[in-house]
Each structure stands twice: as C-alpha cells, then as structure tokens.
Amino acid sequence: MAIKYGKRKHRKNNIVYTIISTVLLCIVFLSMVNYFYNNAEEEAYEALHIQTKQIKDDMHLQLMSDRENLVSMANFAAKLYADGESYDLMFDSFKPIGLIDNIGILNSDNTFVTKMGTVNLDGLISFETEKIQGTYISGRVKDLTKENHEIIRSAVPIKVDGETVGILYGVIGLDTIGEKYNNMAKELEAQLFVHDKETGNLVIDTIHDTLGNISFMKERQYNKGYSYEKMISSDKGFTSFVSAYTDENLYVHYSTIEDLGWVITLARYESQVFAKTHVISRILLMSFCAFVVIMVLYMMMIMRSEKRQHSAMGCASNVRKLLLEINQQQNNITKSLKFISDFADSRSSMFFDTDNNDHVYIKPSSENQLLLDGDREYFQLGLLRYAAKLHKINQMPVNVMCITPNAHLIKTNPDFFAFLKKHGIREVSFAVVADKNNRFSILGCINPRKSKAVRILLEDVAVCFSIALYNKNHLNKTELAATTDSLTGVLNRVAYKQDLLVFDKERSEKFTCIYIDVNELHFRNNKYGHAAGDEMLLYIANTLKDVFFGYKVYRMGGDEFLVFIQDTEPEAVDEAIKVLNGQLEIKDYHVAIGISYRTQNTNTEEMVREAEIRMYEAKAQYYQNKEQKSIAKTEEKGYLQIKTGILEIDTMLSVLKEHYNGIYRVSLDSDKARRILMPAYLDYNEEEEHFSVLLKKYVYDMVDPDFHRALISFFNYDALKTQFIEGRTPTITYKKISGETVILSVYKLDDDGVGNNTLWVFAKD
C-alpha cells in the first residue's frame, strides 16, 4: 500500500510540475511575442510619420513652385492688359510646367480665355467671388470648359494698378498629380490618400479606380481609441482600423498642409508592418508548440489509464445532476451539453428530437462553424434517417453510432458525404433513443477527439436527456396553456383573475388600468377573412407588449385587451399611449382606449369597470367622428327630389332630416339606384356599381354581425316584390357596430304597378 501511495504521489507531483512548467512557458512566450509586436507597431507609426512628412513637403514645395510660376505669368498678363494687347502671346508661349497642364484667364465679364478660344461662364462661376478669394489652390472641382471632367485649379489674380482685372488659373490634371504621387506611394509600399479638408473630396486615391470622398473611411471598424470623427477633426495624428478588402488592420498617419487645406493620409497593412515579427513569432510558436506537445504526451502517458476509468463516470454524474434540476435552472441543458463537449474535446454537442426540441453547445472558438437554418435542418434530418435505420435493425431503446466521411459513406450517401466535408465535420458520434411510438431523440458530438470514451458517455446519459426534456416541456406547456392566450401570447382571463388578488393586496398608489378595444375587427374579418383579423390582433398584442414592456398585458375577449401599469406617473402613461397609437397607425389599425387611475378607495375590479366604460365612450366617438366626416362630404352634393306613392319627397325630407341615415331610389330589375339622400357610409357611384353590391359592403363593414343574416335577406328582390303584391312594406330594425339602432324600410313607388322601382329609407331609431 505504501508503494502504491508513493507512486500516486509521485505521479501527481509530475503532473503539477508539468503544468507549472507549461504555464511559465506560456507566460514567457506571450511576453516575448507581445514585446516584438509592440516594438514593430511603434516602428511602423514612426516610419509612416516620416514618410507622410516626406510626401507633404514634396507636394507643398511642388505646388508653391507652380504658384510662383503662375505669379510670374500673372505679372506678364497684367502688362499685356495694361498695354492693351491680347493674351495670345502668353498662351502661345506656355508649356506645361511642374504639375500645371494648362492655363486660362477669367475676365471681369465672366468670359474665360484659353488657348482654344473664349467661353462665356455666366452662371457657372462668379468673377466677383473669385476676386475676393484671391490666390488659392482648390480641391477637386468641375472643369467648366469640359463636361464630366474634374481638375484642380491654382488661382492667381491679375492686377493692374492695384485693381484685379482677371484671374489666372493654372489647371492641374488629376491624372498628372495622381501619377506622380501614386508612384511615390508604390515605392513606399503604402496606400496614399489626399483630400480637401473642407469638402472631404479626394484629390489622390491609390486604391480606387475613381476619386470619391474621404467619408468612405467612416464605415470602417476602428480599433479601440481611434475613430473617424477624431481623424477628421484633427490636423494630424495616427489612427488604425480594419480594412474592408483584406480584413487586416491598417496603420495610418495623416497630416494637413496648412496653407492649402489638404490632408495627406498614408496607410500600410498589418501584414507589411509585422512581416518580420510574424517570422519571429512563428519560430517561437513552433518551438512553444513542440514543447507543449512533448508536455501533453508526457501528461497523457501519466493520466491515460485513470482518466479513461473515472472521467466518463464523473461527467455522467454531473450531467444527471443538472438534468434533475432542469425545471429550476433553465440553462442546465446548455451546461450539460458543455460538460459533454468538454469531456469529448469536441467542436460542439447537440440534442434534438422529433418533438422539435433543439439544443446545441459550441465552443466559442468554433462559433463560425455553427450550422444554421437550412444546413442545420439538413444535418438533423440526415442523422434521423440513420437513427431510423439503426433502430429498425437493432430494435433497441438506445443505440450508439459514429458517422465519418469515409469511402463507405461516399458510396452509400454521396450528398451527405459532401455536406460533412464542406462543413469540416470529421466525425459525428451520437446516441439514438427511440420510444414505443417510434419518436427519436439524438444526443451527440461533432468532431470528438475521444470518440470511444464519449460514445460510452452518450449511451449512459441519452435517456436522461430525453426524459428530462419531455418532463420540462410537458410542465411548461401545462402552465403556459393555463395562463396564456393561444393566439396572441399575452396573458388570458385566468391569469387576470389570479393577478386581481395580487394587485388588491399590494395596493400600489401609482396604479393605472388601460382597457383597449380593437375597432373594425368584424369589418376586417368579413372583408379579408379571419386570417387578416388574427394578424391584426397579433400585431396589436405584440405592440402592446413592446410599448408596455415589463407590465401585465391580458386579452380579455375576442377584441379586448387590458393592461395594468404600476409605479408609473400618468404623464408617462399618456406618452406610452401616444407611442401605441403611432405604432398602430403604421398598419392603419385603430383602437378605443379607456383609462382609470387608482384612488384610495377603489379596488382593481372597480378600476377595470371604469376603464371599460370610458373605452366604450371612446369607441362610440370614433365611429361618430368617422361617420360625420363622410356626412359632411355627402351633404355638399345636395338632394334629388322625386315623387313617391307615399308623400312628396320634400315633406318626407322635412320629417327625416333630423334623423335620416340615407334614402335611395332602387330599380329591382336593373339593381341600379339613384341617391336622394346619401348616407355618410355609402359612397355610391351610379354608373359603376350595383346597389346590392354596395349594400353588401355596408352590411359587412358597418353592421353588427348578429344582424348580417337578416339584412342579407333583403338582397332577394323577388321576395320583396311578393311582399309589395301582398300590400306589405318590408322593414327591419338592426344595430350598427357602433351601437346605433337603424330602421330600414323599403317602399313601392307608384310609377308602375309591379313594384320594380322602390324607395329605400335608412332612419335612426
């Protein structure tokens, strides 16, 4: 026993020493690498600073030299002007010099003189404005003598006796300046950008085919401590961001040519900055990895036998413990999968079944390899097919298998072979659990390093996973179904009844009840179908949950919702209701809202009743306002008078004027109508629509659904004719959605004996 104990202690000490040595080596390695990279970064910034200054000095010297030449030419032009001579002599003797390709003179009358002739630039440029600017070098501007062409202008006034008589322009071609400094940037192995600080327009760009604006750098991902705004607002400095083309970091230095207002920006890729450092780091890394491999092999030799025996048992025990507490801790599934993945040293672990349970854990370093959407569905379907085949052969409640993209797989299932190869999947080890109804669940790992050990573990805990998930889902569904509205996902009346007791017990002082009723739900159901109505209710419910996030939202009935708000000022509630109405108006949805606030003596149910009453008042006002707008539009058309068999229409209108809803003269043969007094809700076009079609729209849009069947019977004109022959007047009393009571009476006109022409009168009760 003493010998065995001594060996175990010696083995334990070796493991500890190995771990300590590895940790120390890691620290040394990381410190050295960090030193090399920091040093390389400092050298890169210093080099960029020097090279930017080199380009800046060269450009400034060249532009100032060109300006001096222009000053000399301007003096010559002033002498020609004073002597009354033309500028032809100057133009004929001009040859490109420095960066200047051409010259031209802007006269005080806005004519522009060049070697090619004279051009009128009225409306394109102002001599007075240019005169005020004096000597300057522009950024990238339009060439006023050529369409779709841009240049740089170097301007020098032509003065005679102290008065500016013209502006001499030196034209700098973008190709000319670009070619010179592009070559310089190539020699420096860097990217060069020059832009006008005022406008941001680029003058030189060594990476894009066309010149744009420096704002293209705004969308780049800047490294910590740097930003686009900081770069634009300062005259010089350093910055760093991720390149949009190579995903490498760019190291940048920028500096402003003060008296020109141009900013020079020089950039170099990370791979260029750290080229030498990468070589050194790789050598160090290879040495480090070799040492780590040796250490790992040594540790594996020590730990191999004991680890195989105890690790699987320990992991299984931890997983079972987590699964037993799954209802108390929602993230225990992920923790269990992490245990399995860590044990297997795999890329990821997953559990899914035919009941739509789907859980996965993937190592943070492998998140970019996570299967998503269609790929995930295809992968799971493929495993389920193999599971069904395996169960059919073995007829065992638990089966374990391993799939690898080998020669056998490419013969039997080439598509699945290609899929595994595409996604870097070398191996899938999984356990299949089948119940008596042939429903399958799969627990597995992708790319496990310990294939044999993990398959033992999977077989051991797969049934535990299936049972735990089944029990959890069954419990959640039971609790959720009892208190949640199935359509909208908000709380239902059961939850409302339960919460009433809680609210009355708490008696919060700042407590608000909001009662919401959906307007025109029946109209939408009838016109577009119940799916449209359900969509409307779902949108409104989701909007209520968003606007009143953190508070209780209930569906009280078909189109009624209730919200309780605690510890919130009335002003904040009003603002939330404004937001709610704004969100609903986007979809052209409307609701009636009633609000009540708690006083000292009111209980919650009394608040609900008060809010409900106010809601009905708001709902009545909504329909009244909607109808009044339409009535106002209709009354502008006046009245059409005809003679009826009942009494003169003038007499009828004088009686009905105070409570009419509308009067139509309808031919039962042609189903055409003429309006006598048009209601607010019947916008009838006599030339285009049949009256029965119009009336049907009115019934489904405006009438309480309980009266639809009775009103639709009036569309049977033959039945109406029969009632006229029998001496009866068809009449019906019905209610509109708004609650208003209307009496519809159909009278036979005496202009023929068969009742084909009728008068339809809609009157308020």
Side-chain angles (χ1 to χ4, degrees):
M1 288 293 295
I3 295 175
K4 290 183 178 180
Y5 174 79
K7 289 183 177 179
R8 284 199 299 269
K9 184 177 180 180
H10 178 70
R11 186 163 53 243
K12 182 178 180 180
N13 289 338
N14 285 340
I15 294 173
V16 172
Y17 297 151
T18 303
I19 293 174
I20 292 174
S21 300
T22 304
V23 170
L24 290 174
L25 185 61
C26 286
I27 294 172
V28 172
F29 169 77
L30 293 175
S31 299
M32 292 178 65
V33 170
N34 185 62
Y35 168 79
F36 286 125
Y37 276 96
N38 286 338
N39 187 61
E41 189 176 74
E42 291 176 2
E43 291 179 357
Y45 277 130
E46 183 61 24
L48 283 171
H49 175 246
I50 295 171
Q51 292 162 357
T52 302
K53 187 177 185 304
Q54 177 185 346
I55 295 174
K56 173 182 172 181
D57 292 342
D58 182 273
M59 188 176 294
H60 185 266
L61 180 63
Q62 182 66 68
L63 292 172
M64 292 301 102
S65 175
D66 291 346
R67 179 184 287 179
E68 291 300 320
N69 289 327
L70 284 175
V71 170
S72 298
M73 285 187 276
N75 293 335
F76 180 59
K79 184 176 184 307
L80 293 175
Y81 181 91
D83 295 339
E85 298 182 18
S86 69
Y87 300 122
D88 291 342
L89 179 62
M90 184 178 70
F91 289 131
D92 291 339
S93 62
F94 173 78
K95 292 182 180 179
I97 183 170
L99 297 175
I100 298 175
D101 296 328
N102 207 342
I103 59 173
I105 296 175
L106 178 67
N107 291 319
S108 59
D109 59 354
N110 275 351
T111 57
F112 187 69
V113 183
T114 67
K115 186 176 183 180
M116 304 303 296
T118 302
V119 180
N120 192 328
L121 298 182
D122 274 340
L124 299 176
I125 197 169
S126 170
F127 175 81
E128 294 301 322
T129 302
E130 293 293 291
K131 177 180 175 181
I132 294 171
Q133 284 190 262
T135 302
Y136 70 88
I137 297 177
S138 74
R140 196 176 85 237
V141 296
K142 291 183 179 180
D143 187 344
L144 300 179
T145 63
K146 295 181 183 180
E147 292 185 0
N148 302 322
H149 190 254
E150 292 181 314
I151 59 171
I152 299 170
R153 285 199 292 265
S154 181
V156 176
I158 301 173
K159 293 187 177 182
V160 176
D161 296 330
E163 179 66 25
T164 301
V165 297
I167 307 295
L168 175 63
Y169 293 120
V171 178
I172 301 175
L174 295 174
D175 292 338
T176 302
I177 192 171
E179 181 178 359
K180 175 177 180 178
Y181 291 100
N182 280 355
N183 291 334
M184 186 176 292
K186 287 180 181 178
E187 292 175 1
L188 297 174
E189 296 182 343
Q191 301 175 15
L192 175 64
F193 308 92
V194 180
H195 72 275
D196 185 350
K197 188 174 182 65
E198 182 177 351
T199 64
N201 289 334
L202 287 163
V203 175
I204 299 174
D205 185 340
T206 61
I207 64 170
H208 297 104
D209 295 331
T210 57
L211 293 173
N213 192 282
I214 196 66
S215 60
F216 80 89
M217 291 186 179
K218 188 175 183 179
E219 303 302 324
R220 300 298 184 262
Q221 180 183 342
Y222 284 79
N223 293 319
K224 186 176 181 180
Y226 302 111
S227 68
Y228 173 78
E229 289 74 19
K230 182 178 179 181
M231 182 183 74
I232 291 299
S233 62
S234 55
D235 291 332
K236 62 181 179 179
F238 299 99
T239 191
S240 177
F241 55 84
V242 179
S243 169
Y245 302 101
T246 64
D247 291 330
E248 288 185 57
N249 282 329
L250 273 172
Y251 290 84
V252 181
H253 182 263
Y254 54 92
S255 182
T256 304
I257 305 178
E258 290 79 10
D259 52 350
L260 292 181
W262 288 9
V263 180
I264 297 175
T265 303
L266 198 66
R268 187 167 285 116
Y269 281 116
E270 177 184 5
S271 57
Q272 297 171 293
V273 172
F274 300 122
K276 293 181 180 178
T277 307
H278 285 333
V279 174
I280 297 172
S281 297
R282 280 194 290 269
I283 295 172
L284 288 174
L285 181 61
M286 291 173 63
S287 301
F288 172 77
C289 290
F291 178 82
V292 170
V293 169
I294 294 172
M295 292 296 101
V296 169
L297 291 174
Y298 177 72
M299 290 177 64
M300 288 177 63
M301 291 173 61
I302 297 173
M303 300 172 61
R304 185 174 182 180
S305 59
E306 291 187 4
K307 195 171 183 179
R308 283 184 178 178
Q309 297 176 8
H310 298 291
S311 60
M313 294 175 58
C315 185
S317 177
N318 290 329
V319 169
R320 289 193 191 95
K321 183 178 179 181
L322 288 170
L323 293 176
L324 286 173
E325 301 172 353
I326 194 172
N327 291 318
Q328 288 75 34
Q329 299 292 332
Q330 297 298 318
N331 63 343
N332 278 8
I333 299 173
T334 303
K335 287 182 178 179
S336 299
L337 291 174
K338 184 179 184 302
F339 266 119
I340 295 172
S341 183
D342 291 344
F343 171 80
D345 196 10
S346 65
R347 185 175 94 183
S348 62
S349 56
M350 73 283 184
F351 176 87
F352 60 90
D353 58 24
T354 50
D355 290 332
N356 296 321
N357 286 303
D358 186 6
H359 302 276
V360 65
Y361 169 79
I362 187 166
K363 285 185 177 179
S365 59
S366 304
E367 286 180 352
N368 61 327
Q369 297 175 294
L370 180 64
L371 300 177
L372 301 172
D373 301 330
D375 288 340
R376 190 165 179 169
E377 292 179 6
Y378 178 81
F379 176 70
Q380 291 179 352
L381 183 60
L383 294 188
L384 286 171
R385 287 173 178 166
Y386 278 103
K389 290 180 181 178
L390 187 64
H391 178 68
K392 186 176 181 180
I393 296 172
N394 295 336
Q395 292 295 314
M396 297 288 290
V398 181
N399 290 286
V400 180
M401 69 179 304
C402 174
I403 297 176
T404 58
N406 52 23
H408 175 73
L409 185 63
I410 198 172
K411 291 180 181 179
T412 57
N413 195 341
D415 292 339
F416 201 59
F417 173 88
F419 177 87
L420 297 181
K421 281 290 188 180
K422 176 183 176 182
H423 293 280
I425 299 176
R426 302 184 305 274
E427 178 184 324
V428 184
S429 294
F430 60 96
V432 181
V433 179
D435 64 12
K436 59 183 179 180
N437 297 318
N438 283 335
R439 289 180 301 186
F440 297 98
S441 61
I442 290 179
L443 177 66
C445 288
I446 294 178
N447 294 350
R449 292 182 180 273
K450 305 171 185 176
S451 300
K452 294 181 180 179
V454 78
R455 286 198 287 273
I456 296 172
L457 173 64
L458 293 175
E459 185 176 18
D460 193 9
V461 299
V463 174
C464 296
F465 259 91
S466 298
I467 294 173
L469 264 295
Y470 176 82
N471 291 337
K472 179 178 182 297
N473 291 339
H474 182 70
L475 179 61
N476 289 346
K477 288 178 181 178
T478 302
E479 293 178 348
L480 199 62
T483 58
T484 305
D485 179 64
S486 59
L487 173 63
T488 61
V490 301
L491 298 171
N492 61 14
R493 289 189 68 89
V494 174
Y496 162 73
K497 291 293 185 182
Q498 294 174 353
D499 291 342
L500 279 180
L501 300 175
V502 178
F503 291 136
D504 282 334
K505 184 177 180 180
E506 293 177 350
R507 303 290 291 181
S508 301
E509 292 183 4
K510 297 176 183 178
F511 188 72
T512 307
C513 173
I514 305 176
Y515 210 108
I516 302 107
D517 187 272
V518 181
N519 291 331
E520 300 180 339
L521 177 63
H522 292 301
F523 158 75
R524 189 166 296 273
N525 282 333
N526 294 331
K527 188 171 183 179
Y528 304 110
H530 285 279
D534 290 347
E535 180 184 351
M536 181 183 190
L537 289 173
L538 185 58
Y539 179 85
I540 291 174
N542 288 334
T543 306
L544 286 170
K545 287 189 286 186
D546 290 340
V547 173
F548 300 107
F549 180 78
Y551 300 112
K552 297 294 184 75
V553 180
Y554 309 85
R555 185 182 180 194
M556 302 297 288
D559 55 2
E560 296 179 355
F561 295 89
L562 188 69
V563 182
F564 288 127
I565 301 178
Q566 294 176 283
D567 303 322
T568 303
E569 298 292 342
E571 293 80 6
V573 175
D574 293 340
E575 286 299 320
I577 290 175
K578 290 179 182 179
V579 174
L580 170 66
N581 287 325
Q583 292 295 318
L584 297 183
E585 285 177 3
I586 295 173
K587 301 281 286 185
D588 196 24
Y589 295 157
H590 304 277
V591 295
I593 298 175
I595 306 175
S596 65
Y597 300 98
R598 167 164 280 165
T599 61
Q600 290 183 352
N601 298 322
T602 56
N603 62 33
T604 308
E605 283 191 289
E606 289 173 347
M607 292 180 64
V608 172
R609 284 194 293 271
E610 180 183 350
E612 186 176 13
I613 291 171
R614 292 180 179 176
M615 178 274 293
Y616 284 124
E617 292 173 357
K619 193 172 187 72
Q621 187 66 41
Y622 169 80
Y623 285 110
Q624 182 180 351
N625 291 343
K626 186 173 181 181
E627 186 169 348
Q628 285 176 350
K629 290 179 183 178
S630 184
I631 290 174
K633 178 181 176 183
T634 303
E635 287 180 340
E636 295 175 1
K637 301 179 181 178
Y639 307 123
L640 178 66
Q641 298 185 27
I642 62 171
K643 220 172 196 182
T644 74
I646 313 162
L647 66 162
E648 292 296 320
I649 194 66
D650 287 339
T651 304
M652 182 189 304
L653 293 178
S654 67
V655 175
L656 299 177
K657 188 173 183 180
E658 295 300 323
H659 59 277
Y660 73 89
N661 269 33
I663 304 173
Y664 281 81
R665 180 185 178 186
V666 182
S667 170
L668 301 185
D669 290 337
S670 64
D671 197 21
K672 291 290 186 178
R674 294 183 63 191
R675 60 189 177 218
I676 297 173
L677 199 60
M678 189 173 72
Y681 39 75
L682 287 176
D683 192 8
Y684 181 72
N685 188 327
E686 296 174 0
E687 301 300 323
E688 297 179 2
E689 292 187 281
H690 289 82
F691 182 76
S692 60
V693 175
L694 181 72
L695 187 60
K696 186 177 293 186
K697 292 180 182 177
Y698 161 72
V699 170
Y700 287 122
D701 290 355
M702 304 296 294
V703 177
D704 190 306
D706 293 338
F707 296 90
H708 285 183
R709 185 184 300 274
L711 270 174
I712 291 174
S713 67
F714 275 63
F715 300 162
N716 187 346
Y717 289 165
D718 290 335
L720 295 181
K721 292 176 184 179
T722 301
Q723 293 186 58
F724 292 147
I725 294 173
E726 294 173 356
R728 290 184 292 160
T729 299
T731 303
I732 183 174
T733 301
Y734 63 92
K735 284 189 177 182
K736 294 164 58 177
I737 294 174
S738 63
E740 179 185 359
T741 301
V742 180
I743 301 173
L744 169 61
S745 301
V746 183
Y747 299 93
K748 179 183 73 173
L749 296 179
D750 62 357
D751 54 348
D752 62 59
V754 296
N756 292 341
N757 289 302
T758 57
L759 193 70
W760 295 57
V761 179
F762 299 79
K764 295 181 181 179
D765 187 10

